[in-house]
């Protein structure tokens, strides 16, 4: 499993996750090492940007929230199981499709290929995923909260 982040004008370093991610490993190993705070602060100013994350327990733990609130603004109360409303989840799906098209023989080779696919992500694709959020939110309302997967890609 890997951790990465995107913004309209930024993409993080891809970090290999420990086998089990808890609040401590999320804060110390993933968020801190991916360059999120430095990258976004340099682009937008200190705490002048918003972090969107899902409702995973490591993301919503009190220790994580306290840590993150010192470093950035957090989009609070985002639905826990809403991959169709999260641009990074859509990007993981696109990466998965690309990885399935490649003949990967070993775990070591898998990590190398995942990093290569991440490195070659098209900026326009990230921009399109983020720009589609308004349409996605309107569609969810129109569908009275139903899943919208399959409507966009």
């Amino acid at each position: 499993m890997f951790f990465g982040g995107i913004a309209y004008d930024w993409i993080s370093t891809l970090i290999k996750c420990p086998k089990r991610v808890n609040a401590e490993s999320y804060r110390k190993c993933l968020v801190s090492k991916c360059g999120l705070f430095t990258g976004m602060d340099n682009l937008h100013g200190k705490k002048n940007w918003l972090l969107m994350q899902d409702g995973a327990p490591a993301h919503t733990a009190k220790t994580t929230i306290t840590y993150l609130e010192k470093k950035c603004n957090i989009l609070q109360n985002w639905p826990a199981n809403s991959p169709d409303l999260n641009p990074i989840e859509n990007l993981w799906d696109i990466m998965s499709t690309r990885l399935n098209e490649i003949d990967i023989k070993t775990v070591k080779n898998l990590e190398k290929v995942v990093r290569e696919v991440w490195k070659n992500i098209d900026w326009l694709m990230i921009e399109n995923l983020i720009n589609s959020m308004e349409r996605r939110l309107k569609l969810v309302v129109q569908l009275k909260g139903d899943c919208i997967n399959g409507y966009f890609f």
Side-chain angles (χ1 to χ4, degrees), residues 17-135:
C17 299
K19 289 185 181 191
R20 191 158 190 270
V21 176
N22 58 27
E24 182 179 1
S25 63
Y26 178 67
R27 290 187 319 273
K28 290 183 177 178
C29 299
L30 305 179
V31 176
S32 297
K33 288 184 179 179
C34 78
L36 173 69
F37 305 121
T38 304
M40 294 301 290
D41 286 350
N42 286 343
L43 283 168
H44 301 287
K46 191 165 181 73
K47 290 187 77 168
N48 196 28
W49 51 277
L50 185 66
L51 175 66
M52 176 184 179
Q53 53 183 5
D54 64 25
H59 300 176
T60 58
K62 287 181 184 179
T63 54
T64 299
I65 297 299
T66 300
Y67 170 79
L68 291 174
E69 285 176 335
K70 292 176 186 173
K71 304 213 173 252
C72 64
N73 297 303
I74 308 166
L75 179 60
Q76 298 281 353
N77 302 317
W78 194 253
N81 294 307
S82 57
D84 46 350
L85 293 177
N86 190 332
I88 191 72
E89 296 299 338
N90 287 259
L91 182 57
W92 292 130
D93 187 52
I94 291 166
M95 285 188 60
S96 177
T97 299
R98 290 182 180 176
L99 289 166
N100 285 331
E101 295 170 353
I102 301 169
D103 184 25
I104 301 168
K105 303 224 184 279
T106 65
V107 173
K108 186 175 182 176
N109 187 255
L110 172 64
E111 183 175 342
K112 179 182 173 188
V113 173
V114 168
R115 291 184 185 285
E116 190 66 27
V117 170
W118 180 261
K119 188 175 88 175
N120 289 310
I121 291 171
D122 179 21
W123 283 103
L124 184 58
M125 181 188 341
I126 294 172
E127 290 175 5
N128 288 339
L129 287 171
I130 293 169
N131 286 338
S132 70
M133 285 303 298
E134 183 177 353
R135 290 188 324 249

